[in-house]
Amino acid sequence: MAYRLGVDVGGTFTDLFLVSQGNGGGQFRVKTPSTPHDPSEGVLVGVRRICEEAGIDVGALQNILHGTTVATNAVLESKGARVGLITTQGFGQILHLARSQTPGPLAGWIIMIKPDPPASLADTREAVERMDARGNTITALDEQQVESMVRDLVESGVETLTVALINSYVNPAHEEQIGAVVERLYPGFPVTLSAHVLPEFREYERALTACMNSYVRPKVADYVDRLQSELQGIGAQADVNILRSDAGLMTTSEAARNPIYGVLSGPSGGVAGALYVARKAGFDDILTFDMGGTSTDVSLCQNGQPTIGRETAISHFRIRVPSVDVHTVGAGGGSIAHVPELTKALRVGPESAGAEPGPAAYGKGGTQPTVTDANVVLGHLPPRLLGGEMSLDVDAARAAVQTIADAMGLDSVEAAAEGILAIVNENMAGALRLVSVQRGHDPRDFALVSYGGAGPLHANAVAELMGSFPMIVPPAPGLLCAIGDLVADFRDEFAQTYIRVLDDAAPEEVAGILDDLGVRAETWLESEGIPSDTRTITYTADMRYRGQGYEIPVAIDPTEIRADGVGGLEERFNGLHEQLYGFRMHGTATEIVNLRAVGFGSVPKPELPVGDAGGEDASGAVGDERQVWFGGEQHATRIYDRAKLQPGMAFAGPAIVTEFDSTTVVLPGYSAAVDVNFNLLITPND
């Protein structure tokens, strides 16, 4: 029997989820400590352990689907490669000119410390060449000069090269010529051509994205090669695929060549897993809520698809790669509560106690009050976690939160704890409003899927603020990212810049470009070995009002364009613009900016456990009952063991559900039910 393994490497734990391709093979879950100095070590330990628990040989693994933070960490820690950059003559300062926007308030530019770009001026060279905006050669490439520049850069010690020429998105011939020169002089030397990474207009974003690709390329390539070699060393012959930032899959060769596509694969895995679980439960429109120790990630998925953004922020840079549109807020279990002397108003986060020393309740020397400590004080967190492996220091938590009560003149430590939770819940609800209300969506039309170590602890309260029900807690919510790796499909994009006012856009020309892009997508799917019956290609046009500096993707179909022309795109775009921004600009010309084809290759999905619905009586899953604080009062609260909850069981709040990797709180006035997929569905009693 063949097996598929999802592996997600986080900062603290590496999560693994194993499923069989056939029936009867079972499913297995493992959490093992991550090894930041070499993530492959933690992966190998986990692979051995999960195969032992499943009683199978490592050679039985057919596919390993892997979400990794290697590229992300290289950027955040500034530990990438030394990058050489070749630009068009006169454009050597492109990375330093950048854009005019600066972070912070109106006068933020006064205090801003500008980050160093991934390629320094000392490692930048200008090639004698020029293409016009239509792709016609104005100045031919001087290959002799290019050879001299390449030798100079390589011999000076650069580890990778980036070629980013003006207007290469229209015609990449000169970039490809330079790439051929490098290959002739230094076979196998890593080169990134901007027109291959991002074939779209806006030269700064294209140059920056290509340079960032070069910056992380050697580290990712080394990691991928080492991981594959070590897996083969323990007997694994499985195909290894890497998760992309847009929740798709790519081969290891593509990951080594263009690692920038996977720079934010971690959050995308969680969204993919949440969407899969929700759709199995019958919900296509969801808000995802992933709360960890330091931050919370939220996103919106509609019609069974994640929202894909065209730009991603990492560290100080905004790079243009497709990624799941995830918004992060500095609110987590370790967020520190404090009362500023000036305002005397309670604040929570974004500073975090981290893993060391962590919350006061962890007993590792922490003294500052955190969200976790507030939950311990109120009884929302049981005294023992991780299946009894970790005990919480209730007295230390109360002492820490008491400092907040004293600073605010409150009568009780419980009132201070409830204040901390109210503020952090509102902060996280604010993040959810940003991805829903502020983009024209009513959160009451969406279910809320909660995961991560701390997510289910706060999700009921956050769902109450948003009006998003049911609130869904999948089984093993702390492992959902690894499940997301398993359900991700192969995905790649093929784009061409085409700037035309709609009145000037010839339907046959538009349809012809879409057909060409579709052929490229089909060719890629063929090269990946994707069976024809599992292939899908979708098309979009990036559109805007003439003169705007941002675009909105609009669904498009070549057949429709040939039959009806491009007129229908205008009304579709106007509707989307009004939904997002509350208005449409009558009388202003609408234009197409980019045309895009997205190829999908479906992969086998794991069959998660399904049970037959039985009786509603959940009393057999009750392990304890104690007094817990809700709304300023103590309530008799039952403590349920998640492992004993079966489909069909239901119970009323207040209640607390414990499992190995998370704790779920059901508030008074709400009820929880277990569906046939073993999800907890929490809804108001009304």
Side-chain angles (χ1 to χ4, degrees):
M1 185 178 293
Y3 288 81
R4 302 176 73 239
L5 176 65
V7 182
D8 181 75
V9 179
T12 305
F13 289 104
T14 295
D15 300 328
L16 299 94
F17 189 86
L18 179 70
V19 296
S20 64
Q21 293 282 64
N23 294 323
Q27 300 177 355
F28 301 89
R29 301 173 172 89
V30 159
K31 288 179 83 75
T32 185
S34 295
T35 50
H37 64 282
D38 181 2
S40 65
E41 290 184 12
V43 173
L44 290 172
V45 169
V47 169
R48 290 192 187 96
R49 182 175 155 193
I50 202 166
C51 287
E52 288 174 3
E53 291 194 9
I56 64 171
D57 187 81
V58 176
L61 298 177
Q62 182 175 6
N63 301 99
I64 297 176
L65 301 314
H66 183 21
T68 175
T69 58
V70 172
T72 313
N73 293 340
V75 177
L76 294 177
E77 297 170 8
S78 300
K79 293 182 179 178
R82 180 180 165 189
V83 180
L85 172 63
I86 298 176
T87 68
T88 301
Q89 189 174 40
F91 288 81
Q93 303 273 352
I94 182 65
L95 294 181
H96 292 266
L97 290 172
R99 292 296 178 190
S100 61
Q101 295 97 334
T102 56
L106 184 61
W109 60 273
I110 297 175
I111 59 173
M112 177 188 177
I113 300 174
K114 193 172 182 179
D116 293 328
S120 69
L121 278 176
D123 292 330
T124 300
R125 302 291 185 272
E126 300 179 9
V128 175
E129 70 82 39
R130 188 62 187 262
M131 292 274 188
D132 68 13
R134 297 292 182 186
N136 302 312
T137 300
I138 297 175
T139 303
L141 182 72
D142 185 340
E143 282 206 15
Q144 188 173 356
Q145 184 225 13
V146 168
E147 288 183 9
S148 175
M149 288 190 305
V150 170
R151 286 194 177 96
D152 182 31
L153 285 169
V154 174
E155 291 171 8
S156 72
V158 300
E159 300 168 84
T160 62
L161 283 173
T162 299
V163 185
L165 306 179
I166 190 71
N167 294 325
S168 63
Y169 67 91
V170 184
N171 183 350
H174 285 178
E175 285 195 0
E176 290 170 351
Q177 269 185 270
I178 295 175
V181 168
V182 177
E183 181 62 24
R184 186 177 72 248
L185 295 177
Y186 302 97
F189 194 85
V191 182
T192 298
L193 306 183
S194 71
H196 289 181
V197 173
L198 184 67
E200 300 176 15
F201 82 125
R202 294 193 174 101
E203 64 272 18
Y204 167 67
E205 284 79 5
R206 182 161 44 83
L208 176 63
T209 301
C211 282
M212 294 300 287
N213 188 73
S214 291
Y215 185 72
V216 301
R217 185 171 174 176
K219 189 171 283 287
V220 173
D222 289 347
Y223 170 72
V224 168
D225 289 344
R226 185 170 61 252
L227 177 63
Q228 288 189 303
S229 175
E230 292 174 347
L231 284 170
Q232 291 172 0
I234 62 173
Q237 302 299 320
D239 294 327
V240 180
N241 297 116
I242 306 297
L243 193 69
R244 293 165 48 110
S245 300
D246 55 11
L249 292 173
M250 57 181 169
T251 60
T252 50
S253 59
E254 178 68 9
R257 183 170 58 251
N258 291 317
I260 200 67
Y261 293 146
V263 74
L264 288 179
S265 71
S268 71
V271 174
L275 189 57
Y276 179 71
V277 167
R279 296 194 71 185
K280 295 279 284 185
F283 301 95
D284 285 346
D285 299 331
I286 63 168
L287 297 171
T288 70
F289 176 68
D290 177 9
M291 183 179 179
T294 302
S295 62
T296 297
D297 296 328
V298 301
S299 71
L300 179 144
C301 302
Q302 193 170 30
N303 300 322
Q305 295 295 325
T307 303
I308 303 296
R310 306 245 58 85
E311 194 171 68
T312 297
I314 179 167
S315 187
H316 302 288
F317 303 104
R318 299 196 68 85
I319 53 179
R320 289 185 68 85
V321 291
S323 61
V324 174
D325 190 2
V326 173
H327 181 69
T328 302
V329 62
S335 294
I336 297 171
H338 61 285
V339 181
E341 188 65 31
L342 180 63
T343 63
K344 294 294 185 181
L346 178 59
R347 298 281 186 269
V348 181
E351 296 83 12
S352 174
E356 296 289 343
Y362 283 7
K364 296 181 180 180
T367 57
Q368 293 180 293
T370 66
V371 173
T372 295
D373 296 316
N375 278 303
V376 171
V377 167
L378 296 173
H380 295 184
L381 268 178
R384 300 179 71 82
L385 298 178
L386 295 176
E389 294 180 11
M390 181 178 182
S391 297
L392 298 178
D393 188 337
V394 178
D395 292 337
R398 292 184 66 87
V401 177
Q402 184 65 50
T403 63
I404 299 297
D406 294 341
M408 298 188 68
L410 297 175
D411 294 334
S412 69
V413 66
E414 289 81 12
E418 291 199 320
I420 292 171
L421 296 194
I423 289 178
V424 76
N425 290 339
E426 185 57 51
N427 289 345
M428 295 182 293
L432 285 164
R433 291 188 190 101
L434 190 146
V435 299
S436 57
V437 177
Q438 293 187 31
R439 296 178 185 176
H441 302 285
D442 187 340
R444 294 171 295 184
D445 297 333
F446 294 77
L448 181 73
V449 180
S450 171
Y451 54 102
L457 199 59
H458 292 258
N460 194 168
V462 172
E464 184 176 56
L465 292 170
M466 301 300 297
S468 302
F469 292 101
M471 191 276 280
I472 305 171
V473 184
L479 287 166
L480 199 65
C481 288
I483 297 174
D485 297 342
L486 283 172
V487 303
D489 293 326
F490 281 93
R491 187 185 195 279
D492 204 358
E493 295 192 358
F494 304 86
Q496 180 175 327
T497 293
Y498 176 82
I499 304 177
R500 297 287 192 282
V501 174
L502 278 184
D503 291 343
D504 298 335
E508 277 302 321
E509 185 179 17
V510 172
I513 294 173
L514 292 173
D515 286 342
D516 291 342
L517 294 172
V519 169
R520 289 170 58 191
E522 190 71 37
T523 302
W524 169 76
L525 289 166
E526 180 77 28
S527 70
E528 296 292 346
I530 306 297
S532 57
D533 60 342
T534 62
R535 301 175 192 169
T536 306
I537 299 175
T538 62
Y539 301 89
T540 59
D542 294 343
M543 298 180 64
R544 66 185 182 186
Y545 290 118
R546 191 171 191 177
Q548 282 184 326
Y550 56 90
E551 300 83 43
I552 299 173
V554 178
I556 190 172
D557 183 81
T559 305
E560 176 188 320
I561 295 299
R562 284 195 172 89
D564 304 325
V566 297
L569 292 176
E570 182 168 14
E571 181 55 35
R572 207 174 301 165
F573 167 77
N574 283 331
L576 288 170
H577 194 280
E578 188 169 23
Q579 176 187 325
L580 290 170
Y581 303 107
F583 69 96
R584 59 178 69 195
M585 298 176 67
H586 299 283
T588 302
T590 304
E591 66 181 357
I592 298 172
V593 174
N594 297 306
L595 296 172
R596 195 181 317 277
V598 184
F600 297 90
S602 180
V603 301
K605 303 296 188 289
E607 288 298 326
L608 299 179
V610 177
D612 296 325
E616 293 188 358
D617 183 13
S619 59
V622 176
D624 192 10
E625 183 173 336
R626 62 173 181 268
Q627 296 293 315
V628 178
W629 288 85
F630 295 100
E633 298 178 350
Q634 284 188 308
H635 294 257
T637 303
R638 288 184 170 184
I639 314 300
Y640 291 84
D641 182 352
R642 179 85 185 253
K644 296 179 180 179
L645 290 173
Q646 298 298 312
M649 289 184 177
F651 52 92
I656 292 174
V657 182
T658 62
E659 55 189 308
F660 178 79
D661 57 350
S662 192
T663 300
T664 301
V665 170
V666 183
L667 298 177
Y670 292 83
S671 296
V674 184
D675 71 1
V676 294
N677 299 298
F678 292 85
N679 299 306
L680 276 178
L681 304 184
I682 298 174
T683 55
N685 289 338
D686 298 336

